[in-house]
Amino acid sequence: MGLVFGFYHDFSVECWGQGAPRIKIESTASQKISLTVGKSALLQSPTQVKRVSLAAPETADAMVITPYQIQFTGKAPGITNLTLWGTDNKVIAIVDLEVFPDLSRLKETLHKILPEEKEIKVSAAHDYLTLAGTVSSMAHLSQVLALAGPYAPFDEQKKPKIVNLLEVAGVHQVMLEVRVAEISRSLLKRLGVNFSFVSASGKNFGLSLLNNLSSLPGGGFPAVGTNVSDKINAIIRFTPDDATWTFFIDALKEEGLLKVMAEPNLITLSGKTANFLAGGEFPIPVPQSGVAGLTITIEYKPFGVGLSFTPTVLSNKKISIQVSPEVSELDFSNSITISGFVVPALTTRRVSTVIELADGQSFAIAGLLKDDVRQIVSKFPLLGDIPVLGALFRSSSFQKNETELIVIVTPHLVKPLDPTKQTLPTDAYIEPDDFEFYLLGNLEGKKRSRPMKGGLEGNFGHILPK
């Protein structure tokens, strides 16, 4: 960068030869000099100098070469002053010396490492560096700050004092296209038998209560009959001459299929977080104690297909994304009851990760294949193990659940669009007229020309799209 000088009053600069610049004093007024770290200059005095005083030796160094020449050298960024006394102990001059970092070496380093970044401006003021201009990407921004660190002054915490005014060029808006696809299949098979026997006189009876398919009433058996569970889907009764046989049968085969498909699209700025939820909220009662006693307050818990992501544009070809998709649904089979309120459980699939993708590339961040098989057999000892007839003395349950979930993420760098060139789902809708609606029963009208108010030659029209 060289040597930069400031002038006050009659202060002038004269250079001789190829050595350090020589500064000639022609006034006792306060004068200012700016110098780069590691550079030196000669101060030429009009009279002999007897004594020299430097306020901050850690900032600069002064050396008397001859009675008329003083050499000073910048040691560290900062501000100090230099006072000169003559042989009569009178002040010859007071020089304010400001030392700047060596920006020439920093600029040379930036040019060697990042030759394509030509819009970076480096300046120094007092004891800090200022970086301004534009860089092409976030990756180059971090590299510029890392390269400028060793050339900048340090604060008390040994951190470089850098004022970062750099801006990242290019598009900073990111649209994240997420596709959440889930298929869940379930299979349930149950088979259980309970029976009861009552003689005609009522003195002899028998009852099986396996797996709670049937139970004794409060009045006792067999006076008021038998209570049956809601699992029972068949009842068979035989009444021979001297007895009554009743069979309670739980036979069920149930198949289920669940499909979840969501394609949320979100747009946010680089470094900002965007959230999306397609679902709802269910209330949760929360007991709280107060002055009036125990009270119930309601809190809401969200569920459904949720998405949260924070993009960082690294360059015009690469995007770093911290993404957290979530799929949850209500599960009343594991619900609890609080103060008479039924609170369902949540079945949740959640993932959180950080990925780097180019514009338009896709990445599957979650793939879950879950297969649950549950078998429960309740039986009487020995009797339940008898072939064929043992089915009357046991209750069997088979349950299988298969779930497959995949989440695909596609980031895009986006720019504002022209609203006149965008199509909407309602653009193709044509309102039917009375003839089409009442007589033909059409919910949409046919394609036709609609007159519009013109400016020069009256009405004109256009054909609406299908």
Side-chain angles (χ1 to χ4, degrees), residues 285-310:
V286 179
Q288 293 184 354
S289 59
V291 180
L294 187 64
T295 59
I296 301 296
T297 60
I298 300 297
E299 294 184 359
Y300 289 89
K301 180 72 175 180
F303 70 96
V305 179
L307 173 65
S308 174
F309 84 103
T310 305

PDB file of all heavy atoms in Angstrom, residues 285-310:
ATOM      1  N   PRO A 285     -55.932 -32.034  28.085  1.00  0.00           N
ATOM      2  CA  PRO A 285     -56.265 -31.420  29.373  1.00  0.00           C
ATOM      3  C   PRO A 285     -55.067 -31.470  30.320  1.00  0.00           C
ATOM      4  O   PRO A 285     -54.391 -32.490  30.438  1.00  0.00           O
ATOM      5  CB  PRO A 285     -57.433 -32.273  29.886  1.00  0.00           C
ATOM      6  CG  PRO A 285     -57.247 -33.597  29.219  1.00  0.00           C
ATOM      7  CD  PRO A 285     -56.629 -33.319  27.884  1.00  0.00           C
ATOM      8  N   VAL A 286     -54.811 -30.350  30.977  1.00  0.00           N
ATOM      9  CA  VAL A 286     -53.686 -30.243  31.915  1.00  0.00           C
ATOM     10  C   VAL A 286     -54.243 -29.803  33.261  1.00  0.00           C
ATOM     11  O   VAL A 286     -54.692 -28.652  33.393  1.00  0.00           O
ATOM     12  CB  VAL A 286     -52.630 -29.245  31.413  1.00  0.00           C
ATOM     13  CG1 VAL A 286     -51.479 -29.141  32.407  1.00  0.00           C
ATOM     14  CG2 VAL A 286     -52.122 -29.653  30.034  1.00  0.00           C
ATOM     15  N   PRO A 287     -54.261 -30.683  34.272  1.00  0.00           N
ATOM     16  CA  PRO A 287     -54.742 -30.279  35.604  1.00  0.00           C
ATOM     17  C   PRO A 287     -53.783 -29.287  36.248  1.00  0.00           C
ATOM     18  O   PRO A 287     -52.564 -29.457  36.204  1.00  0.00           O
ATOM     19  CB  PRO A 287     -54.795 -31.601  36.384  1.00  0.00           C
ATOM     20  CG  PRO A 287     -54.724 -32.676  35.354  1.00  0.00           C
ATOM     21  CD  PRO A 287     -53.949 -32.117  34.211  1.00  0.00           C
ATOM     22  N   GLN A 288     -54.350 -28.223  36.849  1.00  0.00           N
ATOM     23  CA  GLN A 288     -53.560 -27.227  37.548  1.00  0.00           C
ATOM     24  C   GLN A 288     -54.272 -26.858  38.834  1.00  0.00           C
ATOM     25  O   GLN A 288     -55.503 -26.764  38.884  1.00  0.00           O
ATOM     26  CB  GLN A 288     -53.355 -25.974  36.681  1.00  0.00           C
ATOM     27  CG  GLN A 288     -52.493 -26.205  35.456  1.00  0.00           C
ATOM     28  CD  GLN A 288     -52.239 -24.933  34.685  1.00  0.00           C
ATOM     29  OE1 GLN A 288     -52.806 -23.882  34.997  1.00  0.00           O
ATOM     30  NE2 GLN A 288     -51.384 -25.010  33.677  1.00  0.00           N
ATOM     31  N   SER A 289     -53.475 -26.661  39.872  1.00  0.00           N
ATOM     32  CA  SER A 289     -54.032 -26.284  41.168  1.00  0.00           C
ATOM     33  C   SER A 289     -54.046 -24.774  41.288  1.00  0.00           C
ATOM     34  O   SER A 289     -53.084 -24.097  40.921  1.00  0.00           O
ATOM     35  CB  SER A 289     -53.193 -26.891  42.297  1.00  0.00           C
ATOM     36  OG  SER A 289     -51.853 -26.463  42.223  1.00  0.00           O
ATOM     37  N   GLY A 290     -55.148 -24.232  41.800  1.00  0.00           N
ATOM     38  CA  GLY A 290     -55.286 -22.800  41.970  1.00  0.00           C
ATOM     39  C   GLY A 290     -56.011 -22.476  43.258  1.00  0.00           C
ATOM     40  O   GLY A 290     -56.195 -23.323  44.143  1.00  0.00           O
ATOM     41  N   VAL A 291     -56.434 -21.213  43.353  1.00  0.00           N
ATOM     42  CA  VAL A 291     -57.140 -20.774  44.561  1.00  0.00           C
ATOM     43  C   VAL A 291     -58.481 -21.472  44.682  1.00  0.00           C
ATOM     44  O   VAL A 291     -58.914 -21.861  45.775  1.00  0.00           O
ATOM     45  CB  VAL A 291     -57.335 -19.239  44.524  1.00  0.00           C
ATOM     46  CG1 VAL A 291     -58.079 -18.761  45.769  1.00  0.00           C
ATOM     47  CG2 VAL A 291     -55.987 -18.542  44.407  1.00  0.00           C
ATOM     48  N   ALA A 292     -59.161 -21.659  43.560  1.00  0.00           N
ATOM     49  CA  ALA A 292     -60.482 -22.297  43.571  1.00  0.00           C
ATOM     50  C   ALA A 292     -60.390 -23.821  43.578  1.00  0.00           C
ATOM     51  O   ALA A 292     -61.401 -24.497  43.458  1.00  0.00           O
ATOM     52  CB  ALA A 292     -61.297 -21.835  42.372  1.00  0.00           C
ATOM     53  N   GLY A 293     -59.177 -24.370  43.710  1.00  0.00           N
ATOM     54  CA  GLY A 293     -59.014 -25.821  43.687  1.00  0.00           C
ATOM     55  C   GLY A 293     -58.387 -26.286  42.384  1.00  0.00           C
ATOM     56  O   GLY A 293     -57.707 -25.519  41.689  1.00  0.00           O
ATOM     57  N   LEU A 294     -58.628 -27.523  42.044  1.00  0.00           N
ATOM     58  CA  LEU A 294     -58.057 -28.113  40.852  1.00  0.00           C
ATOM     59  C   LEU A 294     -58.848 -27.682  39.618  1.00  0.00           C
ATOM     60  O   LEU A 294     -60.063 -27.862  39.551  1.00  0.00           O
ATOM     61  CB  LEU A 294     -58.058 -29.642  40.960  1.00  0.00           C
ATOM     62  CG  LEU A 294     -57.331 -30.397  39.848  1.00  0.00           C
ATOM     63  CD1 LEU A 294     -55.845 -30.067  39.887  1.00  0.00           C
ATOM     64  CD2 LEU A 294     -57.546 -31.899  40.002  1.00  0.00           C
ATOM     65  N   THR A 295     -58.156 -27.092  38.669  1.00  0.00           N
ATOM     66  CA  THR A 295     -58.783 -26.661  37.422  1.00  0.00           C
ATOM     67  C   THR A 295     -58.111 -27.370  36.248  1.00  0.00           C
ATOM     68  O   THR A 295     -56.992 -27.858  36.355  1.00  0.00           O
ATOM     69  CB  THR A 295     -58.667 -25.143  37.248  1.00  0.00           C
ATOM     70  OG1 THR A 295     -57.280 -24.771  37.249  1.00  0.00           O
ATOM     71  CG2 THR A 295     -59.391 -24.403  38.369  1.00  0.00           C
ATOM     72  N   ILE A 296     -58.835 -27.398  35.135  1.00  0.00           N
ATOM     73  CA  ILE A 296     -58.358 -28.055  33.927  1.00  0.00           C
ATOM     74  C   ILE A 296     -58.127 -26.989  32.852  1.00  0.00           C
ATOM     75  O   ILE A 296     -59.038 -26.228  32.520  1.00  0.00           O
ATOM     76  CB  ILE A 296     -59.347 -29.118  33.428  1.00  0.00           C
ATOM     77  CG1 ILE A 296     -59.577 -30.183  34.504  1.00  0.00           C
ATOM     78  CG2 ILE A 296     -58.825 -29.773  32.155  1.00  0.00           C
ATOM     79  CD1 ILE A 296     -58.340 -30.983  34.850  1.00  0.00           C
ATOM     80  N   THR A 297     -56.915 -26.932  32.352  1.00  0.00           N
ATOM     81  CA  THR A 297     -56.604 -26.068  31.214  1.00  0.00           C
ATOM     82  C   THR A 297     -56.319 -26.936  29.990  1.00  0.00           C
ATOM     83  O   THR A 297     -56.016 -28.122  30.114  1.00  0.00           O
ATOM     84  CB  THR A 297     -55.399 -25.157  31.509  1.00  0.00           C
ATOM     85  OG1 THR A 297     -54.263 -25.983  31.786  1.00  0.00           O
ATOM     86  CG2 THR A 297     -55.679 -24.268  32.694  1.00  0.00           C
ATOM     87  N   ILE A 298     -56.430 -26.339  28.835  1.00  0.00           N
ATOM     88  CA  ILE A 298     -56.281 -27.072  27.581  1.00  0.00           C
ATOM     89  C   ILE A 298     -55.024 -26.595  26.860  1.00  0.00           C
ATOM     90  O   ILE A 298     -54.812 -25.395  26.690  1.00  0.00           O
ATOM     91  CB  ILE A 298     -57.512 -26.886  26.670  1.00  0.00           C
ATOM     92  CG1 ILE A 298     -58.783 -27.400  27.395  1.00  0.00           C
ATOM     93  CG2 ILE A 298     -57.322 -27.629  25.362  1.00  0.00           C
ATOM     94  CD1 ILE A 298     -58.750 -28.877  27.705  1.00  0.00           C
ATOM     95  N   GLU A 299     -54.212 -27.542  26.452  1.00  0.00           N
ATOM     96  CA  GLU A 299     -53.077 -27.287  25.586  1.00  0.00           C
ATOM     97  C   GLU A 299     -53.258 -28.077  24.292  1.00  0.00           C
ATOM     98  O   GLU A 299     -53.864 -29.148  24.303  1.00  0.00           O
ATOM     99  CB  GLU A 299     -51.751 -27.680  26.256  1.00  0.00           C
ATOM    100  CG  GLU A 299     -51.392 -26.833  27.456  1.00  0.00           C
ATOM    101  CD  GLU A 299     -50.033 -27.199  28.021  1.00  0.00           C
ATOM    102  OE1 GLU A 299     -49.405 -28.125  27.460  1.00  0.00           O
ATOM    103  OE2 GLU A 299     -49.620 -26.584  29.021  1.00  0.00           O
ATOM    104  N   TYR A 300     -52.730 -27.545  23.212  1.00  0.00           N
ATOM    105  CA  TYR A 300     -52.911 -28.165  21.905  1.00  0.00           C
ATOM    106  C   TYR A 300     -51.589 -28.710  21.393  1.00  0.00           C
ATOM    107  O   TYR A 300     -50.551 -28.042  21.455  1.00  0.00           O
ATOM    108  CB  TYR A 300     -53.491 -27.155  20.910  1.00  0.00           C
ATOM    109  CG  TYR A 300     -54.938 -26.820  21.194  1.00  0.00           C
ATOM    110  CD1 TYR A 300     -55.270 -25.788  22.058  1.00  0.00           C
ATOM    111  CD2 TYR A 300     -55.967 -27.559  20.615  1.00  0.00           C
ATOM    112  CE1 TYR A 300     -56.585 -25.492  22.333  1.00  0.00           C
ATOM    113  CE2 TYR A 300     -57.291 -27.266  20.874  1.00  0.00           C
ATOM    114  CZ  TYR A 300     -57.603 -26.230  21.733  1.00  0.00           C
ATOM    115  OH  TYR A 300     -58.908 -25.940  22.002  1.00  0.00           O
ATOM    116  N   LYS A 301     -51.639 -29.937  20.903  1.00  0.00           N
ATOM    117  CA  LYS A 301     -50.470 -30.628  20.375  1.00  0.00           C
ATOM    118  C   LYS A 301     -50.659 -30.827  18.874  1.00  0.00           C
ATOM    119  O   LYS A 301     -51.662 -31.416  18.439  1.00  0.00           O
ATOM    120  CB  LYS A 301     -50.308 -31.985  21.062  1.00  0.00           C
ATOM    121  CG  LYS A 301     -49.115 -32.797  20.581  1.00  0.00           C
ATOM    122  CD  LYS A 301     -47.809 -32.214  21.065  1.00  0.00           C
ATOM    123  CE  LYS A 301     -46.641 -33.112  20.685  1.00  0.00           C
ATOM    124  NZ  LYS A 301     -45.347 -32.566  21.139  1.00  0.00           N
ATOM    125  N   PRO A 302     -49.722 -30.352  18.036  1.00  0.00           N
ATOM    126  CA  PRO A 302     -49.888 -30.512  16.584  1.00  0.00           C
ATOM    127  C   PRO A 302     -49.586 -31.934  16.132  1.00  0.00           C
ATOM    128  O   PRO A 302     -48.809 -32.655  16.758  1.00  0.00           O
ATOM    129  CB  PRO A 302     -48.874 -29.520  16.002  1.00  0.00           C
ATOM    130  CG  PRO A 302     -47.820 -29.410  17.054  1.00  0.00           C
ATOM    131  CD  PRO A 302     -48.531 -29.566  18.372  1.00  0.00           C
ATOM    132  N   PHE A 303     -50.202 -32.327  15.034  1.00  0.00           N
ATOM    133  CA  PHE A 303     -49.929 -33.618  14.410  1.00  0.00           C
ATOM    134  C   PHE A 303     -50.164 -33.481  12.913  1.00  0.00           C
ATOM    135  O   PHE A 303     -50.825 -32.549  12.450  1.00  0.00           O
ATOM    136  CB  PHE A 303     -50.813 -34.726  14.993  1.00  0.00           C
ATOM    137  CG  PHE A 303     -52.273 -34.611  14.623  1.00  0.00           C
ATOM    138  CD1 PHE A 303     -52.787 -35.319  13.545  1.00  0.00           C
ATOM    139  CD2 PHE A 303     -53.130 -33.775  15.327  1.00  0.00           C
ATOM    140  CE1 PHE A 303     -54.118 -35.207  13.192  1.00  0.00           C
ATOM    141  CE2 PHE A 303     -54.456 -33.660  14.988  1.00  0.00           C
ATOM    142  CZ  PHE A 303     -54.959 -34.385  13.917  1.00  0.00           C
ATOM    143  N   GLY A 304     -49.642 -34.421  12.159  1.00  0.00           N
ATOM    144  CA  GLY A 304     -49.791 -34.405  10.707  1.00  0.00           C
ATOM    145  C   GLY A 304     -48.424 -34.487  10.037  1.00  0.00           C
ATOM    146  O   GLY A 304     -47.474 -35.047  10.588  1.00  0.00           O
ATOM    147  N   VAL A 305     -48.350 -33.907   8.858  1.00  0.00           N
ATOM    148  CA  VAL A 305     -47.100 -33.864   8.105  1.00  0.00           C
ATOM    149  C   VAL A 305     -46.460 -32.497   8.327  1.00  0.00           C
ATOM    150  O   VAL A 305     -46.993 -31.478   7.905  1.00  0.00           O
ATOM    151  CB  VAL A 305     -47.346 -34.108   6.600  1.00  0.00           C
ATOM    152  CG1 VAL A 305     -46.034 -34.043   5.824  1.00  0.00           C
ATOM    153  CG2 VAL A 305     -48.006 -35.457   6.378  1.00  0.00           C
ATOM    154  N   GLY A 306     -45.329 -32.488   9.013  1.00  0.00           N
ATOM    155  CA  GLY A 306     -44.639 -31.247   9.338  1.00  0.00           C
ATOM    156  C   GLY A 306     -43.254 -31.200   8.705  1.00  0.00           C
ATOM    157  O   GLY A 306     -42.638 -32.225   8.423  1.00  0.00           O
ATOM    158  N   LEU A 307     -42.785 -29.979   8.493  1.00  0.00           N
ATOM    159  CA  LEU A 307     -41.470 -29.794   7.875  1.00  0.00           C
ATOM    160  C   LEU A 307     -40.855 -28.509   8.409  1.00  0.00           C
ATOM    161  O   LEU A 307     -41.523 -27.487   8.526  1.00  0.00           O
ATOM    162  CB  LEU A 307     -41.590 -29.709   6.346  1.00  0.00           C
ATOM    163  CG  LEU A 307     -40.318 -29.363   5.583  1.00  0.00           C
ATOM    164  CD1 LEU A 307     -39.284 -30.462   5.735  1.00  0.00           C
ATOM    165  CD2 LEU A 307     -40.625 -29.136   4.108  1.00  0.00           C
ATOM    166  N   SER A 308     -39.571 -28.588   8.737  1.00  0.00           N
ATOM    167  CA  SER A 308     -38.802 -27.421   9.152  1.00  0.00           C
ATOM    168  C   SER A 308     -37.435 -27.509   8.482  1.00  0.00           C
ATOM    169  O   SER A 308     -36.768 -28.543   8.565  1.00  0.00           O
ATOM    170  CB  SER A 308     -38.649 -27.377  10.675  1.00  0.00           C
ATOM    171  OG  SER A 308     -37.791 -26.324  11.066  1.00  0.00           O
ATOM    172  N   PHE A 309     -37.032 -26.430   7.799  1.00  0.00           N
ATOM    173  CA  PHE A 309     -35.735 -26.478   7.136  1.00  0.00           C
ATOM    174  C   PHE A 309     -35.091 -25.093   7.150  1.00  0.00           C
ATOM    175  O   PHE A 309     -35.767 -24.063   7.160  1.00  0.00           O
ATOM    176  CB  PHE A 309     -35.863 -27.004   5.705  1.00  0.00           C
ATOM    177  CG  PHE A 309     -36.236 -25.982   4.673  1.00  0.00           C
ATOM    178  CD1 PHE A 309     -35.290 -25.465   3.813  1.00  0.00           C
ATOM    179  CD2 PHE A 309     -37.547 -25.547   4.560  1.00  0.00           C
ATOM    180  CE1 PHE A 309     -35.628 -24.523   2.852  1.00  0.00           C
ATOM    181  CE2 PHE A 309     -37.901 -24.615   3.608  1.00  0.00           C
ATOM    182  CZ  PHE A 309     -36.927 -24.108   2.744  1.00  0.00           C
ATOM    183  N   THR A 310     -33.749 -25.120   7.183  1.00  0.00           N
ATOM    184  CA  THR A 310     -32.935 -23.907   7.176  1.00  0.00           C
ATOM    185  C   THR A 310     -31.881 -24.045   6.077  1.00  0.00           C
ATOM    186  O   THR A 310     -30.929 -24.820   6.228  1.00  0.00           O
ATOM    187  CB  THR A 310     -32.249 -23.686   8.527  1.00  0.00           C
ATOM    188  OG1 THR A 310     -33.231 -23.675   9.565  1.00  0.00           O
ATOM    189  CG2 THR A 310     -31.482 -22.373   8.533  1.00  0.00           C
TER     190      THR A 310
END
